[in-house]
Amino acid sequence: MVIVGGGVHGLATAYYLARNHGITNVAVLEKSYIGSGGSGRNTAILRSNYLTPDGVRFYDRSLKLYERLAAELNYNVMFSRRGHLTLAHNDSSLRTMRWRAEVNKASGVDSEVIGPADIKKLVPFMDTSERARYPILGALYHPPGGIIRHDAVVWGYARAADAMGVHVHQDTELTGIDVEQGRVTGVRTSRGSIATRVVVNCTAGWSTLVANLAGVRLPVQTFPLQAAVTEPVRPFLDTVVVSGTLHVYVSQTDRGELVFGASVDPFASYSTRGTLEFVEGLAGHVLQLMPSLSTLRLLRQWAGLCDMTPDFAPIMGHTEVDGFLVDVGWGTYGFKAGPVAGETMAECVATGRTPELISAFGLRRFADGSLVGEKGAAAVGH
Amino acid sequence: MKRQTRRLDRQPGEVIDRGSPLEFGWNGRSYPAYAGDTIASALAACGERVFSRSFKYHRRRGLLTASYTDPGCIVQVGDEPNVRGAHRLVTPGMDVRSQDTWPSLAFDVKAANELVGRFLPAGFYYKTFIRPRPLWPTYERVLRRFSHGGVVSPDPLSPELSSYDKRQVHPDVLVAGGGPAGMTAAVAAARAGARVMLVEEEHSLGGHLRWGDKADLAALHDLRSLLAASGVEVLTNSVVFGRYDHNHVAIVQRGLPHVYERLVKARAKTLVVSPGLIERPYVFAGNDVPGVMLSTAVRRLINLYAVKPGDRAVVLTANPQGDAAVVDLERAGVEVAHVVDARGGDDLVRVLGRGGVKGVELVGGHRIECDLVVTAVGWTAPLTLLTMAGTVAAYDSRAARYFPGTATLPDDVLPAGGVVGDGTLDELVAHADAVGREAARRAGSMSRREPAAEIPALPVDAHPELFHGPTHGIVDFSEDVSSRDLLTAVEEGYSSAELAKRYTTATMGPTQGKLESVNVVAIIAEATGRTISQTGTTTWRPPYAPVTLGALAGRHREPVRYSPMHPWHERHGAAPLVAGAWIRPDHYGDPAGEVLAVRERVGIIDVTPIGKLDLRGPDVPKLLNLLYVNRWSKLEVGRVRYGVMCAEDGVVLDDGVTGRLGDQHYLMSTTSSGAASVWEWVESWLQTEHPGWQVHVTPVTTSYASINVAGPRSRELLGRVVAEIDLTPQAFPYMHVRTGRVAGVDGCVLWRIGFTGELSFELHVPASYGLHVWETLLDSGNDLGVRAFGIEAQRILRLEKGHLIVGQDTDGLTQAFSAGLDGLIRLDKDDFVGRSELVWQAEAAAESRLVGLHPNDASVVPEEGSQLIEAGVICGRVTSSRWSPTLHRSICLAQVATEFAEPGTLVTVRLPDGRSVPATVTEHLASVDPEGARLRG
């Protein structure tokens, strides 16, 4: 079978196909180098403190897979479980934090609402005073959340899949999907053709274009999401900090750099260039949270592409074309879901049945009107 | 105090002011310097050679480039981390310290890493610390201690580090880079009539002419005179760090009085990119030992700062600039022990010495004692701005450097000087002069009939391809990545330039590839048997130079909105509530008392932030029918109606009342938080879907001050201040609107609605009279017991009445039927936004409902967000809860699964503290006056 996209989703799918189902006659097609898309451009934050019980269950499985990934792949993916703070600057977001904490607790996930004094203890640089323009009223604290070395996840899956016989083809762009009488029969690439009965679309940014090759339309719009990194300084920030009101999330890597992300750009686009407006707004928001960081210098900015669906939930599983499966529409949270998406897609492909964990994410829901409800939590949630 | 033992006699091009001596501190000791010295030049003048320790191995590092990009001299200045010591000018009393060394720069414990250096190859981290898993957090803590960089403090910064600024400029021509090409182009553009801004990263203009010979200095003098007479605005110590769409150019300007850094945003008609060339380091064993420098570094030290960089030198040269360095060294009294001419195939094998250069080994094993090794092996073109403009860089093996593909550049970007070629100074000037004139022409500064300037192409000199010697050495000095690391990466399969870069972290450090990028690509190309062109290049990403968060943020003032009544609120002890853009009175000290005043007498509340849109035109009813779920075609003049908007997915978006003031004139109100987004929503539908509809939308939120007068005696109070409006229930019934004069103010809008559940009138008065009307109402109602009430009281009142708040009792998931809006939704009207989803929902029946809920223990107020749990499964949540002063009990609204929504159902609320309490679903959402008798009274 053929997997399109050499990011964490495609490589994890290939890995679990080989490991869990013994299917190794698999080609992963990557038009650039592995991890060159969203997998290498995200801000590598992991968490499972979602809003709906289904979301919590799904991402908690992903977090558990991530936790044991290093040992399983014999490759240190440097999962740094350092705690995750989502700040509330007004009573309405505090109410949502309480709601999330209660849903999490009911699902056995460690989350609680903490007050400004406890926030200050966790992040001494934070302006928790009442003078702040958007005073911090509290936060959702999620100790199991953290960051990971995203490239290492990609490389670890690729190496392990390769060792079991999977072929990873870099610099190989998909140019066509052959469909006969509603069935996939093969693919064409910039480096030749492959006969296959199964094609799994694990792309982001180009998922609609790949699906079009099979004649499948996806309700997906592509938006850039920008990020930036500063020069390194000595460690001072141990937790991941997210502020929905200020549209920013911050963490400090083991190398000492601060990594910043935000919500998606307001307009659909395929551009991966950064904008000046973004870094200006970002810097202003970071300094509202931590005013003494004015002298810290921004080193690099970039953008990745996010495929947004109408209900902010992914599209997974079979399509109307027999043998053409999708694992797309991951919005801004695809990286967090890499392992669980790979595991469930592999099962879906290998058994022909849709695992219960992803049964709500089928493409048909947009025709049936049974949308998934994680929109409230996913809008700005990193 | 230290002495300036290595300071030379006066040099013709020196930039130091010997008449202004000063002192500053380095690691706690006092050092002398002259005004104009950089931190590095002043320290070098006193004989210091070691300024930092390297990232991984903590090797001693000295000067390499003696410019902004020098990776060996990044220091802490007071509270400021990562200061470029080879660029920052010293000031009296400056407190400079080496970064990340312990216990001291001279003796650094972490240098032990060097001993185990062979155990820290590329990808080392990925291969180790994997088992046992429980120990990784411990390993990680140790690793984090090795992170590199300066120190930031949580304390407030000093005033000089905390003032930032922005400036907007609109030059015709912006020139990035003030070397001879940039200066010439700027002068030519200005002479052609353009308004020109010239931006230079260093502290003075002139580029390489500044460390050139007599003829160069004379030419520089002439160029400076021309420039001074040209009217060009010159920014020095400033960098163009980004070129964004439509020539929006970002500049960071440093060294201003009272402003630490300023972001200058230029909308340039034409951008000339003339950054010159960056000298490339040579990769061989020991190339990072203090005392190994680039030819430009020694020429800067000698000619600009009058510093003797060593006593006995070996020079590796492959170009005329390297030869000129030999001349400079000899003139400065440095003994040039040997010149290795790379053009003849000679090479350096290794540097001897660890803490500083003690000698070199040549091919064949011959060793020469020296304390200075100079390399001149080629140039890198900094193409960031050009690649941001769309150019694709192409490698030219004959010249051993990359060039911009000019065919891919937009018309409004012109490269000049070293990035496009070489040539004599005369050729450079002729070329840049034409670029400047053409830039002015393209900016429209000259007559349109003026023919395009013919830009003479610069010749490109042949240069040997020299990237590394016969031994392995450091490629990325900031990241401590060696050529051996790159080979390891390739051997392990990370064979594309991007993968090898990420695996080794080469080019990821503070220099961002400016020094090391081409060497990285060349070494990977060689290791993979490909050419440099086939290997490509790593992406140059913005910003070109690092820029402080302070400058990007500017003064970062978030505007705050206050209503016209705000001074009254402040005088009367209002507790401020941050509500988006607004600061509002939460309460005046006694919210329960405020509630009772409204229930029993009369209260007034400032509701100015309510969103208000003035809608005019014949097609307004069509717009209302499209955006609201209910029907609007038959709203009569003088009536108001409550409406709910849904998004396309059927999720409740906003609510509010809209009144018809005239035949084709409506006033729409929105929630306070939705004021801006609903306006955008309305405009978006009108402009993209129905451009033909005749509707004119004007946001008037802040044109009116809004006051709600509520309570059984509100009619009586209002009657005292209203003229010419009959307030009797028959003349002005519930859900009607009137316009007229209030407290002597014309043009007021009154509508009879009731969020609080009491008889109430909402006044919208011209904003400038808001305070007057507010105070008049209070003065006129003393005997009625009138009282101001705040948001908290309003929330209690509306909860008692069971009125939902969009975004609180609904959320990003709540669709209209779940919000209990069944009666409102008109699926039988023509298409409206959200209809198709609502049709599905109507068929499927909502999964949850909004209900009233009373905890059985009336004293328990469950926190909002508490979950309803039955048999271990979540079946709902409390969306609103308060203590009701009217009923003396706790009351709630809750979203519950439909099967639990029947009145009288007993449910279990799990409180955040873990306790579970029983509660009962009530018959109505309203706990007070469900029939609405008070409201309609």
Side-chain angles (χ1 to χ4, degrees), chain B residues 328-557:
Chain B
D328 279 346
L329 285 166
E330 286 176 334
R331 190 171 49 77
V334 181
E335 181 192 347
V336 179
H338 188 67
V339 175
V340 183
D341 195 329
R343 288 159 293 198
D346 277 355
D347 210 343
L348 282 177
V349 174
R350 74 181 79 249
V351 168
L352 309 171
R354 282 161 54 99
V357 173
K358 291 198 166 67
V360 291
E361 184 184 317
L362 304 180
V363 178
H366 182 52
R367 294 182 168 208
I368 302 173
E369 250 180 58
C370 62
D371 65 350
L372 176 65
V373 178
V374 179
T375 66
V377 296
W379 309 92
T380 293
L383 298 176
T384 311
L385 295 177
L386 296 170
T387 50
M388 284 183 79
T391 196
V392 178
Y395 180 72
D396 178 349
S397 58
R398 189 181 148 271
R401 69 182 200 249
Y402 282 87
F403 286 89
T406 43
T408 48
L409 276 179
D411 277 349
D412 55 7
V413 178
L414 290 163
V419 288
V420 286
D422 303 300
T424 63
L425 183 58
D426 287 343
E427 286 170 317
L428 190 68
V429 165
H431 152 84
D433 181 73
V435 170
R437 280 184 285 123
E438 178 62 10
R441 193 188 70 84
R442 292 191 190 175
S445 313
M446 294 198 285
S447 151
R448 283 178 185 277
R449 262 169 282 160
E450 192 84 25
E454 182 120 349
I455 299 172
L458 287 172
V460 173
D461 295 343
H463 196 289
E465 290 184 280
L466 287 166
F467 307 107
H468 64 84
T471 47
H472 284 294
I474 296 293
V475 182
D476 185 330
F477 293 78
S478 351
E479 293 286 309
D480 249 3
V481 177
S482 71
S483 47
R484 191 191 300 277
D485 292 330
L486 287 172
L487 297 192
T488 306
V490 170
E491 273 166 29
E492 292 182 10
Y494 305 87
S495 53
S496 89
E498 289 290 344
L499 283 181
K501 178 183 104 171
R502 282 168 167 77
Y503 191 59
T504 60
T505 75
T507 78
M508 307 285 270
T511 48
Q512 287 288 292
K514 292 182 190 70
L515 299 175
E516 65 278 8
S517 178
V518 177
N519 286 340
V520 168
V521 173
I523 289 165
I524 292 169
E526 199 178 300
T528 53
R530 290 173 295 185
T531 65
I532 289 178
S533 295
Q534 287 165 341
T535 309
T537 181
T538 56
T539 314
W540 296 72
R541 289 202 166 95
Y544 172 69
V547 48
T548 58
L549 298 182
L552 290 170
R555 297 182 191 178
H556 61 85
R557 288 195 181 134

Side-chain angles (χ1 to χ4, degrees), chain A residues 7-348:
Chain A
V8 59
H9 280 250
L11 293 166
T13 302
Y15 168 76
Y16 291 111
L17 269 173
R19 198 199 73 155
N20 295 356
H21 306 281
I23 298 172
T24 58
N25 188 11
V26 175
V28 178
L29 308 183
E30 168 52 52
K31 76 170 179 176
S32 181
Y33 56 93
I34 55 170
S36 53
S39 299
R41 295 166 188 270
N42 67 83
T43 48
I45 297 170
L46 303 181
R47 64 182 176 92
S48 63
N49 57 350
Y50 280 75
L51 181 62
T52 61
D54 296 337
V56 172
R57 205 157 53 99
F58 188 73
Y59 287 97
D60 198 42
R61 172 70 188 159
S62 212
L63 202 56
K64 293 214 159 65
L65 288 170
Y66 264 130
E67 277 169 3
R68 60 176 201 229
L69 203 56
E72 186 177 327
L73 301 177
N74 190 28
Y75 199 91
N76 193 350
V77 292
M78 297 188 226
F79 177 38
S80 173
R81 192 179 185 276
R82 50 175 61 185
H84 182 284
L85 278 176
T86 313
L87 302 174
H89 300 267
N90 53 52
D91 66 331
S92 108
S93 51
L94 193 59
R95 194 179 305 117
T96 307
M97 297 314 147
R98 170 74 63 207
W99 174 12
R100 276 167 67 179
E102 295 308 308
V103 171
N104 291 177
K105 280 193 251 175
S107 313
V109 167
D110 189 0
S111 283
E112 58 180 321
V113 172
I114 61 173
D118 288 329
I119 296 170
K120 188 80 180 174
K121 267 184 224 149
L122 285 167
V123 187
F125 277 64
M126 190 85 75
D127 180 4
T128 52
S129 72
E130 290 175 3
R131 293 185 315 274
R133 172 64 182 86
Y134 296 103
I136 294 167
L137 306 183
L140 180 64
Y141 181 48
H142 177 51
I147 56 175
I148 199 164
R149 179 82 181 92
H150 53 8
D151 288 333
V153 173
V154 170
W155 301 334
Y157 273 129
R159 204 178 66 144
D162 176 76
M164 288 186 285
V166 168
H167 289 196
V168 180
H169 299 283
Q170 300 187 88
D171 293 317
T172 307
E173 185 170 359
L174 182 78
T175 55
I177 299 174
D178 297 322
V179 178
E180 284 170 26
Q181 294 170 341
R183 284 204 58 89
V184 169
T185 58
V187 298
R188 280 164 283 131
T189 79
S190 56
R191 291 176 56 225
S193 300
I194 304 172
T196 181
R197 297 167 76 85
V198 177
V199 174
V200 188
N201 178 3
C202 292
T203 59
W206 297 270
S207 65
T208 48
L209 306 178
V210 169
N212 283 350
L213 296 177
V216 172
R217 284 192 66 199
L218 300 175
V220 161
Q221 272 192 304
T222 301
F223 290 80
L225 187 143
Q226 299 195 47
V229 65
T230 68
E231 291 182 350
V233 284
R234 304 285 295 150
F236 72 94
L237 178 64
D238 295 328
T239 47
V240 179
V241 175
V242 179
S243 165
T245 299
L246 296 174
H247 300 285
V248 66
Y249 42 97
V250 190
S251 66
Q252 187 175 24
T253 67
D254 286 342
R255 291 158 46 81
E257 304 152 326
L258 288 195
V259 179
F260 304 127
S263 41
V264 293
D265 284 0
F267 304 103
S269 164
Y270 287 116
S271 170
T272 52
R273 283 184 296 173
T275 65
L276 180 61
E277 291 69 22
F278 168 74
V279 284
E280 289 183 88
L282 176 79
H285 291 147
V286 169
L287 294 184
Q288 285 193 40
L289 295 177
M290 295 183 265
S292 70
L293 298 184
S294 299
T295 58
L296 207 52
R297 290 182 183 81
L298 198 86
L299 194 57
R300 192 165 65 242
Q301 68 172 125
W302 67 92
L305 297 180
C306 296
D307 283 350
M308 313 302 288
T309 61
D311 59 359
F312 286 63
I315 307 174
M316 298 178 79
H318 298 277
T319 65
E320 67 263 29
V321 173
D322 204 2
F324 183 71
L325 291 87
V326 290
D327 168 29
V328 299
W330 280 100
T332 63
Y333 39 90
F335 184 77
K336 299 169 181 50
V340 69
E343 189 185 47
T344 50
M345 283 307 292
E347 186 184 340
C348 192

Side-chain angles (χ1 to χ4, degrees), chain B residues 810-839:
Chain B
T810 73
D811 54 68
L813 315 174
T814 309
Q815 297 174 312
F817 287 104
S818 335
L821 300 168
D822 315 33
L824 213 57
I825 302 164
R826 284 281 169 260
L827 294 177
D828 53 341
K829 73 173 180 174
D830 283 347
D831 196 20
F832 61 91
V833 180
R835 183 177 182 278
S836 49
E837 273 289 337
L838 292 172
V839 168

